[in-house]
Amino acid sequence: MIFGIALGSNLGDRAANLRRGIELLLQRVPQCRGVAKGGVYETEPVDCAPGTQAFLNSVIEIEASCTPSELHWHLAAIEIELGRSVEREKNAPRTLDLDLLYAGDFVSDGLTIILPHPRLHLRRFVLQPLADIRPDLKLPGH
């Protein structure tokens, strides 16, 4: 299945955090291979506390032999390994944020995973790097 994943970092070595997140993803997820990577963009924080450092954001697309729920679990584990606190305030600064954007044509509005990502179309920091790799992408419900 093809998955789209947004990456963001605004603490520490932001570029290294993005690279390390991708490396861990490719190592941990069964039969995972990178398909495409969008550009890296520096963006102003959205809905964050005043004085929050700018983010580096990108989007990658991978192919993997797992379910969306399994991938979601891997993404959370990688965030924690790279220093993101399990207990945190909404929109708090982070070393790495990994958001599952879509999983092929899979649609879910469950308690643990909502796909396609419900705010994807509202976030320029996701849309710009996504447009680099999939300018004609049409997602269910969008």
Side-chain angles (χ1 to χ4, degrees):
M1 181 176 287
I2 300 291
F3 297 95
I5 301 165
L7 301 94
S9 176
N10 76 328
L11 287 178
D13 186 337
R14 301 170 300 162
N17 293 337
L18 297 182
R19 285 190 302 273
R20 185 66 181 138
I22 293 169
E23 289 170 6
L24 289 172
L25 185 63
L26 294 173
Q27 290 170 9
R28 290 173 175 229
V29 177
Q31 299 174 348
C32 181
R33 70 175 188 88
V35 174
K37 181 179 179 296
V40 176
Y41 295 87
E42 185 170 57
T43 61
E44 291 302 312
V46 175
D47 298 327
C48 296
T52 298
Q53 182 176 339
F55 281 82
L56 285 186
N57 294 100
S58 190
V59 169
I60 61 170
E61 204 171 61
I62 64 166
E63 184 174 11
S65 295
C66 63
T67 67
S69 293
E70 290 167 338
L71 181 59
H72 187 260
W73 182 88
H74 283 292
L75 297 178
I78 292 167
E79 288 177 342
I80 291 167
E81 181 171 332
L82 293 181
R84 187 164 182 187
S85 174
V86 176
E87 299 288 326
R88 61 187 177 266
E89 293 180 31
K90 184 177 172 133
N91 298 325
R94 60 211 82 157
T95 52
L96 186 64
D97 185 34
L98 298 170
D99 287 333
L100 184 54
L101 302 174
Y102 54 88
D105 291 330
F106 180 81
V107 175
S108 173
D109 61 357
L111 294 174
T112 58
I113 190 167
I114 300 173
L115 288 175
H117 191 288
R119 293 174 302 286
L120 176 153
H121 65 289
L122 301 173
R123 296 177 165 177
R124 183 177 176 101
F125 60 87
V126 171
L127 292 173
Q128 185 68 51
L130 182 57
D132 291 344
I133 60 173
R134 295 291 300 273
D136 298 324
L137 178 67
K138 296 203 183 345
L139 295 170
H142 290 270

